[in-house]
């Protein structure tokens, strides 16, 4: 099992005074909580295509199929627990002078792990809104006999997530962009870096001179942009970085996780 050496450069960057750290997470950070990712092996999209389900057109065409998919995912999320990556990121928020967590995930696991202000770019699957008047509708879903939920205004109720072709919440996206512009260190954890505009935040941070780190077992569409790519599962790597930065643990780790290796693209 190859140990991973968290580079001195990364540790120095993270232990600098008043360091500002920004983290973008994707579905991969919840993989070790048992929630399927979208595009990697066994992911959601293996049996569905985003266009078929996560779009307003799909909802207009076949609201029941869309609701059945979300009801299935709500059950998965309800049965899932935050994993060590979620928990450690909540510790980073408490321990670092400047820390911003931006997530594409809709599973709410960062909040359940103790993160106080995650920027949820794509909404939250456990909540519902009216498709017409956008009023919040709590966590209502399909009725006991599969009845489609309807708003008092007559509009259809839907999960409070951002579908493909829909704009992201303006203020949240603006705050995320401003954080990326000020970042000293930018982590992209567990995302294939395909979905926009979330993936573009890495360019914003790079432009602003941040040190970029990707944590993902696989290469992604944007790996070349990153200064270091830590190839392994977030649930192992994130806590190990925390040990080096906050607990002063010494060099390298053999955390019992196989095949972690570092690819660095020293710029
Ligand atoms: C927008 C909520 C503009 C729903 C999601 C045509 C028309 C309109 C827009 C577009 C278009 N063509 C392209 C676009 C842009 C489009 C887009 O990006 N499409 C992609 C497919 C190219 N974007 C949009 O439509 C966005 N809106 O552009 O609006 C606009 C402006 C004004 C007015 C009108 C319109 C909206 C995008 C949001 C879509 N909603 N989710 C739901 O969840 O049901 S996106 C969905 O993908 C999830 O949020 C998910 O998080 C996200 C991103 O995927 P990833 O998180 O990266 O997941 P993935 O499976 O891909 O990767 C997982 C990674 O984890 C892998 O790399 C794997 O190796 C790694 N991994 C696995 N295990 C681990 C691990 N890593 C670490 N540890 C492990 N253990
Ligand atoms: Zn309504």
């Amino acid at each position: 099992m190859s140990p991973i050496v968290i580079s001195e450069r990364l540790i120095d960057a993270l232990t600098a005074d008043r360091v500002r750290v920004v983290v973008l997470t994707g579905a991969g950070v919840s993989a070790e909580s048992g929630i399927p990712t979208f595009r990697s092996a066994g992911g959601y999209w293996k049996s569905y295509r985003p266009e078929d389900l996560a779009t307003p057109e799909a909802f207009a065409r076949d609201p029941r199929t869309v609701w059945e998919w979300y009801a299935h995912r709500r059950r998965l999320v309800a049965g899932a627990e935050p994993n060590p990556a979620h928990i450690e990121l909540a510790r980073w928020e408490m321990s670092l002078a400047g820390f911003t967590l931006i997530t594409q995930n809709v599973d709410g696991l960062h909040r359940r792990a103790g993160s106080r202000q995650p920027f949820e770019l794509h909404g939250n699957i456990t909540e519902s809104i009216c498709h017409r008047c956008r009023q919040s509708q709590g966590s209502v879903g399909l009725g006991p006999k599969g009845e489609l939920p309807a708003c008092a205004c007559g509009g259809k109720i839907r999960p409070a997530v951002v579908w493909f072709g829909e704009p992201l919440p303006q203020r949240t996206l603006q705050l995320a962009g401003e954080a990326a512009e000020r970042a000293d260190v930018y982590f992209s954890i567990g995302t294939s870096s395909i979905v926009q505009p979330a993936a573009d935040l890495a360019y914003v941070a790079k432009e602003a001179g941040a040190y970029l780190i990707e944590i993902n077992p696989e290469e992604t569409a944007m790996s070349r942009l990153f200064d270091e790519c830590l190839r392994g599962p977030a649930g192992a790597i994130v806590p190990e970085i925390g040990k080096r930065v906050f607990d002063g643990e010494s060099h390298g780790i053999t955390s019992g996780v196989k095949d972690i290796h570092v690819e660095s693209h020293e710029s």
Side-chain angles (χ1 to χ4, degrees), residues 22-25 100-104 119-122 168 172-183 185-188 191 193 195-210 212 222 225-226:
V22 173
V23 173
L24 171 73
T25 63
T100 305
L101 177 63
I102 305 163
T103 188
Q104 300 173 89
F119 289 160
E120 293 172 326
L121 294 180
H122 297 159
L168 274 61
T172 306
L173 184 59
Q174 185 193 338
L175 291 171
E178 287 167 3
E181 275 168 1
R182 292 194 304 269
V185 184
Y186 181 92
F187 285 88
S188 172
T191 179
S193 299
V195 172
Q196 296 298 356
D200 272 352
L201 290 168
Y203 285 109
V204 172
K206 185 86 177 177
E207 279 293 296
L212 266 59
M222 289 175 61
L225 185 75
F226 288 81

Side-chain angles (χ1 to χ4, degrees), residues 130 132-135 137 151-153 155:
C130 171
R132 178 190 293 174
C133 69
R134 313 301 290 183
Q135 277 291 323
Q137 307 284 331
C151 173
C153 81

Side-chain angles (χ1 to χ4, degrees), residues 25-32 36-41 43-45 50-51 53-54 69-70 73 83 85 103-106 121-123 125 161-168 170 189-198 215-220 232-236:
T25 63
V29 86
S30 296
E32 291 157 88
T37 61
F38 286 80
R39 295 170 189 83
S40 36
Y44 284 127
W45 305 126
E51 302 69 33
L53 288 166
W69 185 50
Y70 279 95
R73 290 174 60 194
N83 67 57
T103 188
Q104 300 173 89
N105 299 343
V106 296
L121 294 180
H122 297 159
I125 197 171
V161 297
V162 178
W163 280 330
F164 289 100
E166 292 187 322
L168 274 61
Q170 194 59 34
I189 305 177
T191 179
S192 58
S193 299
I194 291 170
V195 172
Q196 296 298 356
I215 297 176
N216 193 321
E218 294 170 17
E219 186 158 344
T220 72

Side-chain angles (χ1 to χ4, degrees), residues 45-246:
W45 305 126
K46 285 293 160 275
S47 18
Y48 304 99
R49 286 180 335 115
E51 302 69 33
D52 297 347
L53 288 166
T55 66
E57 293 76 17
F59 187 64
R61 189 176 54 242
D62 184 355
R64 181 174 309 291
T65 299
V66 171
W67 258 118
E68 283 166 355
W69 185 50
Y70 279 95
H72 164 68
R73 290 174 60 194
R74 279 183 170 178
R75 285 191 293 275
L76 280 177
V77 165
E81 289 300 326
N83 67 57
H86 296 109
I87 293 163
E88 181 64 18
L89 289 171
R91 180 167 80 130
W92 289 14
E93 178 182 324
M94 254 96 77
S95 315
L96 288 163
F99 182 83
T100 305
L101 177 63
I102 305 163
T103 188
Q104 300 173 89
N105 299 343
V106 296
D107 57 33
L109 287 180
H110 283 301
R111 283 184 193 284
R112 286 172 51 194
S115 291
R116 283 171 303 197
Q117 197 198 9
F119 289 160
E120 293 172 326
L121 294 180
H122 297 159
N124 190 319
I125 197 171
T126 57
E127 287 151 27
S128 303
I129 53 170
C130 171
H131 194 48
R132 178 190 293 174
C133 69
R134 313 301 290 183
Q135 277 291 323
S136 169
Q137 307 284 331
S139 57
V140 73
L142 283 174
K145 296 194 189 69
E147 307 90 310
L148 289 171
C151 173
C153 81
K156 292 193 193 105
I157 293 176
R158 50 167 286 178
V161 297
V162 178
W163 280 330
F164 289 100
E166 292 187 322
L168 274 61
Q170 194 59 34
R171 182 81 182 121
T172 306
L173 184 59
Q174 185 193 338
L175 291 171
E178 287 167 3
E181 275 168 1
R182 292 194 304 269
D184 298 308
V185 184
Y186 181 92
F187 285 88
S188 172
I189 305 177
T191 179
S192 58
S193 299
I194 291 170
V195 172
Q196 296 298 356
D200 272 352
L201 290 168
Y203 285 109
V204 172
K206 185 86 177 177
E207 279 293 296
Y211 191 58
L212 266 59
I213 312 290
E214 182 180 70
I215 297 176
N216 193 321
E218 294 170 17
E219 186 158 344
T220 72
M222 289 175 61
S223 292
R224 297 304 304 166
L225 185 75
F226 288 81
D227 298 296
E228 285 184 45
C229 295
L230 306 183
R231 289 279 173 256
I237 294 179
V238 174
E240 294 303 341
I241 294 172
K243 281 184 197 160
R244 290 286 308 281
V245 173
F246 302 114

